């Protein structure tokens, strides 16, 4: 519809991720990140939807700090980047999980794929509960409320550390969104408890001696 509208009214269609200028613009985030971390930086974990953000950042990081690893992080229910890397070509997912709607994309962009196939160090997928736990961690540490897609990168860091028993490394991520529904915080809070193995039991006791 957007393409038809642009043609009808003589407007310019700007693709959200499959566009060279958009990718280059998002790559400036990596420039800021490296300037802020001139010393040890072992890896950057970046959320992936269509791939514009990570392809721009990966291009910059691998050009100026090739020793820094770049990991793509996606929800398990919409891992189009991992599917593309595993198959060696872009894949269209049958369906996507919309819980982290900001990264819920069926197919990785064509330009991002060409960039990422030679610059990624790995793909990590995270569960809904792990994303919610990361959202809670971000709030506890910074008092910022990230949307679920914005918490994906931190969820990837936590999973990578846990599965690889990592110590003494410096990792970075991008909080890529704060567009969250206030009513959704209750669900996120409950799911975060499940991810960390916390369970709340409620019981009624008779108020009488013995």
């Amino acid at each position: 519809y957007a393409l038809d509208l642009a043609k009808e009214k003589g407007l310019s269609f700007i693709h959200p991720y499959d566009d060279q200028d958009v990718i280059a613009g998002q790559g400036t985030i990596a420039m800021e990140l490296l300037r802020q971390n001139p010393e040890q930086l072992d890896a950057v974990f970046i959320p992936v939807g269509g791939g514009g953000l990570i392809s721009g950042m990966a291009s910059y990081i691998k050009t100026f700090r090739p020793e820094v690893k770049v990991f793509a992080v996606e929800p398990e229910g919409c891992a189009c980047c991992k599917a593309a890397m595993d198959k060696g070509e872009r894949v269209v997912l049958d369906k996507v999980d919309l819980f982290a709607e900001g990264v819920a994309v069926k197919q990785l962009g064509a330009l991002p794929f060409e960039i990422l196939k030679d610059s990624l160090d790995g793909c990590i997928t995270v569960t809904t509960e792990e994303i919610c736990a990361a959202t809670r961690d971000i709030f506890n540490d910074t008092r910022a409320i990230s949307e679920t897609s914005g918490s994906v990168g931190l969820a990837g860091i936590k999973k990578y550390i846990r599965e690889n028993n990592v110590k003494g490394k410096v990792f970075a991520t991008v909080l890529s969104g704060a567009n969250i529904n206030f009513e959704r915080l209750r669900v996120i809070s409950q799911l975060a408890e499940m991810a960390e193995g916390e369970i709340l039991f409620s019981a009624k006791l008779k108020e009488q001696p013995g």
Side-chain angles (χ1 to χ4, degrees):
Y1 175 77
L3 289 170
D4 290 340
L5 191 64
K7 186 176 180 180
E8 176 189 333
K9 296 184 177 292
L11 304 172
S12 296
F13 173 72
I14 301 175
H15 201 287
Y17 52 84
D18 210 351
D19 179 276
Q20 186 171 332
D21 291 332
V22 170
I23 290 170
Q26 292 181 316
T28 62
I29 296 172
M31 179 177 66
E32 294 182 30
L33 177 64
L34 296 186
R35 285 178 178 174
Q36 292 171 9
N37 297 273
E39 305 299 330
Q40 180 184 358
L41 181 60
D42 297 291
V44 181
F45 295 73
I46 306 171
V48 180
L53 175 67
I54 190 170
S55 56
M57 291 186 68
S59 295
Y60 193 92
I61 291 168
K62 290 301 183 181
T63 298
F64 295 100
R65 295 279 297 276
E67 78 281 4
V68 177
K69 292 183 178 180
V70 177
F71 290 99
V73 189
E74 301 172 287
E76 287 183 350
C78 49
C80 64
C81 182
K82 184 178 187 306
M85 295 304 131
D86 288 347
K87 194 168 184 180
E89 62 183 26
R90 294 196 301 150
V91 174
V92 179
L93 302 179
D94 294 331
K95 60 181 180 177
V96 295
D97 184 345
L98 297 177
F99 186 78
E101 69 277 4
V103 291
V105 177
K106 280 189 173 183
Q107 184 181 36
L108 190 68
L111 281 172
F113 174 73
E114 291 302 319
I115 295 169
L116 295 174
K117 66 182 183 180
D118 298 319
S119 57
L120 273 188
D121 292 285
C123 297
I124 300 169
T125 59
V126 291
T127 66
T128 294
E129 291 80 9
E130 288 168 340
I131 294 169
C132 291
T135 302
R136 182 182 63 182
D137 292 339
I138 291 166
F139 175 76
N140 287 340
D141 288 349
T142 69
R143 287 300 184 261
I145 301 178
S146 173
E147 65 181 84
T148 46
S149 58
S151 308
V152 166
L154 179 59
I157 289 179
K158 292 178 65 180
K159 188 166 193 173
Y160 184 83
I161 290 172
R162 183 172 65 249
E163 292 185 348
N164 295 279
N165 194 28
V166 175
K167 294 180 181 179
K169 300 291 184 180
V170 177
F171 296 149
T173 188
V174 180
L175 305 187
S176 59
N179 183 27
I180 191 167
N181 222 313
F182 184 78
E183 289 72 23
R184 206 174 192 195
L185 290 175
R186 180 184 301 175
V187 175
I188 292 172
S189 175
Q190 292 171 341
L191 291 173
E193 291 177 355
M194 293 173 62
E196 303 295 343
E198 300 175 10
I199 301 175
L200 179 65
F201 288 96
S202 177
K204 292 183 178 180
L205 301 177
K206 292 182 179 180
E207 294 287 342
Q208 63 185 42

